[in-house]
């Protein structure tokens, strides 16, 4: 599934960029990517990483303040806005990515639940064995003790 998602993402990006690229733009982007961006990143990497961390923290705090119902509403409205302003190929791509993400979530979640269930079963079986051994041991010890005659 991971490879399919990566290939789909690459094809989608190539499709979207393919309509806007010309030879002149390809050369300009190549020059920027080769010479300008590495220098900018090396000079400003600490500032960019601090800014990224700060923005993530701020977004996470704001998201947590919304509450579950408002989070769902914001997600639904955002999805509708994105869907309304995109063409049909983008809509199919978004649908494909959502289904692939749901499939990956179900796989990982099922594995976690199955692991927890197996652990609980092993623990319960071990406890049953200890109880049965303990009960039979107590019964055998009690049978060895002779009742005292008064």
């Amino acid at each position: 599934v991971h490879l399919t998602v990566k290939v789909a993402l690459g094809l989608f990006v190539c499709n979207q960029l393919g309509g806007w690229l010309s030879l002149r733009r390809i050369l300009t982007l190549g020059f920027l990517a080769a010479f300008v961006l590495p220098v900018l990143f090396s000079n400003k990497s600490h500032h960019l990483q601090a800014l990224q961390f700060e923005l993530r923290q701020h977004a996470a705090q704001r998201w947590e303040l919304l509450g579950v119902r408002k989070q769902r509403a914001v997600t639904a409205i955002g999805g509708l806005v994105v869907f309304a302003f995109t063409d049909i190929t983008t809509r199919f791509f978004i649908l494909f990515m959502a289904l692939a993400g749901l499939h990956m979530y179900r796989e990982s979640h099922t594995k976690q639940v199955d692991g927890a269930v197996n652990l609980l079963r092993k623990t319960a079986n071990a406890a049953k064995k200890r109880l049965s051994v303990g009960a039979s041991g107590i019964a055998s010890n009690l049978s060895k003790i002779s009742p005292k005659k008064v």
Side-chain angles (χ1 to χ4, degrees), residues 31-99:
F31 179 80
L32 288 173
F35 298 108
V36 176
L37 291 177
V39 173
L40 283 176
F41 185 74
S42 66
N43 291 338
K44 302 288 184 178
S45 65
H46 296 296
H47 177 68
L48 290 174
Q49 289 173 353
L51 181 64
Q52 176 192 13
F53 179 75
E54 184 180 322
L55 289 175
R56 280 188 177 192
Q57 290 293 329
H58 182 70
Q61 288 172 353
R62 291 292 186 178
W63 186 253
E64 290 298 322
L65 290 175
L66 285 179
V68 175
R69 286 187 177 181
K70 288 183 181 178
Q71 287 175 356
R72 289 179 183 164
V74 167
T75 304
I77 291 170
L80 290 173
V81 167
V82 167
F83 231 62
F85 292 109
T86 56
D87 61 346
I88 191 73
T89 57
T90 307
R91 290 177 187 173
F92 279 122
F93 177 74
I94 291 170
L95 181 63
F96 172 76
M97 294 300 284
L99 290 175

Side-chain angles (χ1 to χ4, degrees), residues 98-130:
L99 290 175
L102 181 64
H103 178 71
M104 288 174 18
Y105 173 77
R106 282 185 178 171
E107 278 184 358
S108 66
H109 185 68
T110 303
K111 289 177 185 174
Q112 290 172 352
V113 169
D114 289 344
V117 168
N118 289 337
L119 179 66
L120 288 174
R121 284 183 183 158
K122 289 178 184 177
T123 306
N125 288 336
K128 283 181 187 177
K129 286 179 184 177
R130 275 188 247 130

